[in-house]
Amino acid sequence: MIKLVAFDVDGTLRERDYMPESTREAVAELKSRGIIVALCTGRSEFEVGALQKELDIEWAITCNGAHIGHKGTTVFGTPFEPELVRHWLDTADENGHGLLLYGAELMLTNRPNDPLFRQAQEEIGFLEPVVLRREDDVPPIYQCIAYVREHEEQPYIGSDPGKFYLHRWRPWAVDINPKGTHKAAGLLRLLDHLGVRREEAAAFGDGFNDVELLEFVGTGIAMGNAPDAVKARARHVTTSMHDDGIRNGVDRYVLS
């Protein structure tokens, strides 16, 4: 029996501001049956707060698993060392790179008008970040998005990429998270907290940062719009997001 369902956000629950009505209905039905619903996303909790309220979802695993919140309050978190974040900021200033830093309650940036950040904002949508000045204290940061190409990332990750969890989602943008954090690790922490076994969990996702999640749960469901390499790692494949993929996947693989 499935007791918890985790949903990726972008390309799974919604695309920019569009969400199928069938998705809302499916999430509401899960909740009506007493099944716990959680968001599980590479975005920050700050960015998905409105979505949580819209769908009445209490739990959010954000920052690719590095932060877990309940109704907007931090329950677990794996932040970077402040000295490392400060080093990244200095490096970015020296090289003219833009950074987006995810805290629990806000997003920060060193270059608010960085052209690559603005391109990402245009393509997938970002809320407007707060500028972090040199004299400001660095709050707990759970994820860094560096707007750099692969050959430019070495100053940020060092000579051993295994020191971090990396997810490159554009040729010019990469997520950097603390080592050992990914969506499956974050979900495991939540499952342990709630007393739910992984076999009793299902998850929906469409991206390469969902692979660990889809393989970890008892019922991993890839969206029809996911790349073939992601679909190959999931137990099941539903239809695309625009073709009622959540509704169909919930009916066929969760509630059945």
Side-chain angles (χ1 to χ4, degrees):
M1 176 181 175
I2 292 176
K3 297 182 178 180
L4 182 148
V5 182
F7 291 99
D8 169 54
V9 174
D10 296 295
T12 298
L13 283 179
R14 70 180 185 192
E15 185 176 77
R16 295 295 298 263
D17 296 327
Y18 172 72
M19 182 190 304
E21 186 59 33
S22 62
T23 294
R24 294 185 178 88
E25 294 169 354
V27 171
E29 183 171 359
L30 291 173
K31 291 172 55 60
S32 72
R33 295 183 181 226
I35 296 173
I36 300 167
V37 176
L39 301 181
C40 197
T41 176
R43 297 219 184 226
S44 66
E45 185 145 344
F46 174 74
E47 290 181 283
V48 298
L51 179 63
Q52 281 186 268
K53 291 180 181 179
E54 178 183 353
L55 298 179
D56 191 24
I57 295 175
E58 296 185 357
W59 289 98
I61 302 163
T62 57
C63 303
N64 285 319
H67 183 269
I68 300 171
H70 180 255
K71 296 182 178 180
T73 300
T74 299
V75 179
F76 303 109
T78 308
F80 294 109
E81 292 293 332
E83 295 79 10
L84 176 61
V85 178
R86 185 62 68 186
H87 165 70
W88 284 341
L89 289 166
D90 290 341
T91 301
D93 285 346
E94 292 170 5
N95 292 278
H97 295 152
L99 302 179
L100 190 61
L101 305 173
Y102 282 173
E105 299 175 354
L106 76 173
M107 298 190 310
L108 301 163
T109 186
N110 63 324
R111 288 163 56 93
N113 291 313
D114 179 77
L116 292 178
F117 165 70
R118 292 301 178 191
Q119 183 174 340
Q121 191 177 46
E122 176 68 22
E123 290 183 8
I124 65 173
F126 281 110
L127 297 179
E128 199 64 23
V130 174
V131 177
L132 182 64
R133 300 167 301 179
R134 280 185 173 272
E135 62 269 26
D136 293 336
D137 292 333
V138 177
I141 298 298
Y142 301 93
Q143 178 168 302
C144 170
I145 300 178
Y147 293 101
V148 297
R149 297 185 180 275
E150 191 168 359
H151 70 275
E152 300 172 313
E153 69 183 25
Q154 194 274 335
Y156 300 94
I157 65 174
S159 58
D160 179 14
K163 291 168 55 179
F164 302 101
Y165 174 76
L166 304 176
H167 169 233
R168 180 164 287 282
W169 48 275
R170 289 290 188 277
W172 38 264
V174 61
D175 292 345
I176 307 175
N177 292 99
K179 181 180 180 179
T181 61
H182 45 68
K183 291 186 179 184
L187 180 59
L188 174 60
R189 204 166 189 181
L190 178 58
L191 294 179
D192 287 345
H193 177 70
L194 298 175
V196 176
R197 296 182 296 114
R198 60 190 287 185
E199 294 82 9
E200 298 172 321
F204 288 78
D206 76 304
F208 288 104
N209 62 334
D210 294 314
V211 167
E212 293 93 346
L213 177 69
L214 297 176
E215 290 183 326
F216 169 75
V217 295
T219 306
I221 306 162
M223 302 300 292
N225 46 280
D228 289 341
V230 175
K231 294 176 184 177
R233 306 284 284 275
R235 178 169 296 183
H236 306 291
V237 178
T238 184
T239 52
S240 71
M241 186 209 77
H242 288 274
D243 192 22
D244 300 321
I246 295 299
R247 173 81 269 177
N248 294 333
V250 165
D251 287 346
R252 184 171 182 180
Y253 303 119
V254 178
L255 297 182
S256 64

